[in-house]
Amino acid sequence: MASQIDLHCHTTASDGALAPEALVDRAVDRNIKILAITDHDTMVGYRQVKDYANERGLRLIPGIELSSQWRGMGIHVVGLGMDPTHPIIVEAERSQTDVRRERAKTIALRLEKKLQKKIDFSAVEALAGGEIGRPHFAQYLVENGMVSDRQTAFKKYLGAGKVGDVKSGWPDMETVVKWIVESGGQAVLAHPHHYNLTRTKLLDCIAAFQYAGGQAMEICCGLMDKNQSGQLKKIAQDEGLLGSCGSDFHGPNKFGLDLGVMPPFPEPADLGHVLSAIQA
Ligand code: AMP
Ligand code: MN
Ligand code: MN
Ligand code: MN
């Protein structure tokens, strides 16, 4: 049974494949009742379909996924329930967009040097449409025959530790947490299992996240098994965090990942849900 709540997914405003309207339609078709669009570093998609979602009977929570760094590692923080007109979040989006654009130029230069081939930056920008990121470079490399597929592009050039993994421009995790909280939202540590952290380091990261004001962490994510989810639930309980759930859907694909596909959320008595702290 798919979940009727999905608080993490992407549209064409960042690196998702579906336009915001099509994403809302898919959510309604899949019997999702509560959705948060959490595009990378922008709420443009959310603003575009806020009224449309309402017309279709879908509760759409204001959302964003902010890029940051902690101890030199790229960390994603989801924000839910911010006032989308709050000057702090509006300014955060503007500065993150600037960082993304400058970073993309650096990625292009680094790839050119590594591959000894011209990268047409405006073509990559055209592929992106909205917020430009590594997936658009992956697509460009595939379309121009420089790699066979997107996975190879990440494995060889764009994944963690490779030449195209540029994260130095991102603000500290603590800063993005504050942006979310100060604009009235709940800060959620995104997909904690993706960072390949030891348990000790993950707990250090969570401590810094909470000290900055972070309130929740994702414990049910797409393609995660029940065991992983159970371990994260235990950590959330021990550390006094609320739990959140989201597929991280980026578009129809072959892995069975879709809106609402994730392990079930624990019983309310076991763990508080981040939704309980959101009015919008
Ligand atoms: P960026 O926002 O530019 O740092 O790009 C990060 C995005 O790239 C993530 O949100 C994923 O959508 C995608 N991504 C990261 N790692 C991989 C990977 N190994 N394979 C495919 N996509 C990836
Ligand atoms: Mn993404
Ligand atoms: Mn992410
Ligand atoms: Mn995401």
Side-chain angles (χ1 to χ4, degrees):
M1 242 288 279
S3 169
Q4 296 188 335
I5 305 173
D6 193 330
L7 304 179
H8 189 151
C9 61
H10 297 267
T11 75
T12 45
S14 66
D15 57 359
L18 300 182
E21 290 79 5
L23 187 82
V24 166
D25 289 342
R26 193 177 185 98
V28 171
D29 289 348
R30 290 186 58 78
N31 203 27
I32 304 274
K33 303 295 183 203
I34 307 177
L35 183 77
I37 293 175
T38 54
D39 276 310
H40 296 287
D41 303 301
T42 182
M43 293 178 77
V44 161
Y46 162 77
R47 293 191 188 92
Q48 199 174 311
V49 291
K50 181 164 74 78
D51 295 340
Y52 179 60
N54 198 25
E55 282 163 26
R56 297 226 53 193
L58 176 70
R59 181 176 165 204
L60 189 67
I61 309 255
I64 197 163
E65 181 174 19
L66 291 173
S67 310
S68 75
Q69 50 176 331
W70 176 77
R71 294 195 188 165
M73 265 172 313
I75 299 282
H76 286 175
V77 180
V78 162
L80 298 172
M82 296 75 59
D83 166 3
T85 66
H86 199 291
I88 291 181
I89 201 71
V90 172
E91 172 57 21
E93 291 176 72
R94 198 200 53 72
S95 72
Q96 292 290 86
T97 298
D98 283 353
V99 173
R100 263 192 188 278
R101 211 183 131 69
E102 286 309 309
R103 166 187 187 254
K105 289 183 200 159
T106 307
I107 294 174
L109 289 174
R110 288 198 184 188
L111 288 175
E112 280 190 343
K113 195 168 162 192
K114 178 82 181 171
L115 288 153
Q116 306 268 306
K117 288 199 177 111
K118 173 92 189 111
I119 303 283
D120 178 355
F121 186 64
S122 56
V124 186
E125 278 186 306
L127 286 177
E131 296 293 320
I132 187 168
R134 286 178 284 166
H136 307 112
F137 281 96
Q139 189 183 344
Y140 177 89
L141 295 182
V142 174
E143 288 181 5
N144 289 275
M146 299 179 194
V147 291
S148 54
D149 55 65
R150 290 158 74 97
Q151 281 314 315
T152 310
F154 271 94
K155 207 168 157 209
K156 288 175 85 170
Y157 304 114
L158 296 160
K162 304 296 174 187
V163 280
D165 176 28
V166 179
K167 43 193 185 291
S168 54
W170 295 129
D172 289 339
M173 175 179 74
E174 290 84 346
T175 302
V176 308
V177 166
K178 289 194 169 81
W179 287 341
I180 292 166
V181 174
E182 286 168 7
S183 3
Q186 297 286 307
V188 184
L189 184 63
H191 42 64
H193 61 306
H194 276 188
Y195 307 121
N196 283 326
L197 296 174
T198 60
R199 190 185 160 78
T200 309
K201 238 184 160 187
L202 176 58
L203 291 176
D204 281 355
C205 179
I206 289 172
F209 175 78
Q210 286 184 291
Y211 185 67
Q215 304 104 322
M217 84 179 200
E218 289 182 346
I219 57 158
C220 305
C221 310
L223 301 181
M224 172 190 261
D225 64 39
K226 265 190 161 171
N227 194 24
Q228 278 176 310
S229 179
Q231 286 169 10
L232 291 175
K233 172 187 123 185
K234 177 88 176 48
I235 293 177
Q237 283 173 325
D238 290 350
E239 304 306 318
L241 285 164
L242 299 170
S244 187
C245 60
S247 61
D248 208 0
F249 177 73
H250 280 72
N253 71 19
K254 333 171 235 333
F255 309 116
L257 174 65
D258 209 323
L259 287 173
V261 175
M262 64 191 91
F265 197 86
E267 293 300 317
D270 280 352
L271 187 70
H273 201 297
V274 70
L275 273 178
S276 67
I278 295 170
Q279 265 82 52

